[in-house]
Amino acid sequence: IDVRKVDDFENILQTKINGQSESVINTLIRSETPTRIDEVQAFNVFTNKTLTLIMSSYPYRDSDGRVLGACILLRNVTAETNLQTKYLDKSIESVTDPLTSLFTRRYFEEQIHKEIARCKATNTKPSIAIILFDLDKFKSVNDTYGHSAGDFVLVETANVLKRMSRRSDIPGRFGGEELIVIILNSTEIEAAFAAEKFRAAIENHVYEFEEKRIPVTTSVGVSLLKSFTETKEDVLKRADACLYKAKENGRNVAYLDFDQGIMKVKDFINQSKAQIV
């Protein structure tokens, strides 16, 4: 373990957000709510190396609600993002869906299998989340606007997922109008925040085809690998059960499978915030 004493965090890691002069660490320390910033480019002063980090802050309060300080979590995802970029550059055409340019089902299932194998080899708990999307009433889009419009909606939604994903995430086409995002190094609350972010982005995106605006929403199911004894079929089955629950409960909503059962993502986020406070 390398322990160092410095006067300022910037003497260890230099972190900046594009367009801002303030460091990421100072931004996180000032935040009064749990905050996560993905793909932070950082420079390690001591090793002279550039890193890619996920940085999160979790403020803690006294009995009166005053913020006393914050727990700052730094997760090094340099290897994952570099590997993902390398894989993309090397074999993008062979592992992507020709219509949406998302990863194929074969590719992302291989990544789940590899994560399970890695956890078995290292005897560690998996930290991979599955977010499954089913575009609401997609058949009516084809019936009302034509199959070309349906293809347009799929491509536009794929673009939304790619734009909102981190470099280490794996957005894919599960089949038909079902899409998927696999998030490496994720907790339940992080997966919940991501699922709601994707759902809202799709709902708010403007789908305009041949001068006609098409309303598009999605139902979402979220699940995480619980142990390395599970299979990819186990986690996908749970995500699908959450997706079915979302469709049963009015669509355009996300549900999460966690240790205590299935819960609406928004309720899970609010409950988690209350526990932190």
Side-chain angles (χ1 to χ4, degrees):
I1 300 175
D2 186 5
V3 178
R4 298 177 186 270
K5 181 179 179 181
V6 294
D7 294 328
D8 190 278
F9 190 82
E10 287 286 299
N11 293 332
I12 302 175
L13 282 177
Q14 296 177 355
T15 58
K16 290 289 189 297
I17 300 175
N18 290 337
Q20 295 187 17
S21 58
E22 187 176 46
S23 69
V24 176
I25 192 72
N26 287 337
T27 300
L28 291 173
I29 289 173
R30 290 197 346 268
S31 176
E32 296 189 1
T33 59
T35 303
R36 165 172 162 161
I37 303 177
D38 294 334
E39 296 188 1
V40 175
Q41 297 302 305
F43 179 73
N44 188 319
V45 175
F46 294 107
T47 63
N48 292 322
K49 290 183 178 179
T50 300
L51 306 173
T52 302
L53 305 174
I54 297 174
M55 301 182 68
S56 305
S57 68
Y58 300 91
Y60 53 91
R61 307 169 185 270
D62 62 14
S63 58
D64 296 325
R66 292 183 306 161
V67 176
L68 299 178
C71 174
I72 306 297
L73 175 65
L74 283 71
R75 183 176 298 161
N76 187 351
V77 293
T78 307
E80 290 92 332
T81 54
N82 287 347
L83 179 62
Q84 191 73 3
T85 301
K86 181 179 179 181
Y87 203 108
L88 280 169
D89 292 341
K90 184 177 180 181
S91 56
I92 186 69
E93 292 184 0
S94 64
V95 296
T96 53
D97 173 64
L99 175 64
T100 62
S101 296
L102 295 174
F103 286 110
T104 62
R105 182 165 182 167
R106 178 180 177 182
Y107 174 78
F108 62 71
E109 287 186 345
E110 284 178 354
Q111 302 313 302
I112 300 173
H113 178 75
K114 287 179 181 179
E115 173 67 4
I116 294 172
R118 182 191 68 79
C119 292
K120 285 181 179 179
T122 57
N123 195 31
T124 56
K125 184 179 179 180
S127 57
I128 184 171
I130 306 296
I131 305 179
L132 195 57
F133 306 83
D134 191 333
L135 296 182
D136 295 329
K137 299 182 179 180
F138 184 72
K139 184 178 181 299
S140 66
V141 173
N142 286 325
D143 292 344
T144 304
Y145 303 98
H147 287 278
S148 295
D151 287 346
F152 166 79
V153 167
L154 281 172
V155 172
E156 284 290 291
T157 304
N159 290 336
V160 171
L161 295 183
K162 286 185 285 187
R163 185 177 69 250
M164 303 296 292
S165 294
R166 305 170 303 170
R167 283 192 296 165
S168 57
D169 296 340
I170 306 172
R173 187 175 183 185
F174 194 70
E177 68 271 21
E178 288 190 335
L179 307 175
I180 193 171
V181 174
I182 296 173
I183 301 181
L184 305 176
N185 296 305
S186 179
T187 63
E188 288 175 341
I189 187 61
E190 289 169 346
F193 273 114
E196 183 58 25
K197 173 186 71 175
F198 287 127
R199 185 208 61 77
I202 291 170
E203 179 185 22
N204 295 325
H205 184 70
V206 176
Y207 293 81
E208 191 168 324
F209 180 76
E210 294 182 348
E211 299 182 352
K212 295 178 181 178
R213 185 165 180 174
I214 304 174
V216 178
T217 59
T218 183
S219 299
V220 187
V222 189
S223 184
L224 286 84
L225 275 173
K226 296 183 182 295
S227 72
F228 57 71
T229 60
E230 290 194 311
T231 66
K232 65 179 185 295
E233 287 78 16
D234 293 327
V235 66
L236 288 170
K237 184 177 180 180
R238 289 199 304 273
D240 192 57
C242 290
L243 180 60
Y244 185 77
K245 186 82 170 177
K247 295 170 73 172
E248 271 190 327
N249 286 272
R251 298 183 173 88
N252 190 28
V253 66
Y255 274 81
L256 167 74
D257 171 84
F258 69 119
D259 291 339
Q260 298 177 30
I262 295 178
M263 180 183 287
K264 186 183 295 185
V265 161
K266 284 186 176 180
D267 293 341
F268 180 82
I269 291 173
N270 291 332
Q271 175 182 285
S272 299
K273 287 181 177 178
Q275 291 175 348
I276 292 173
V277 173

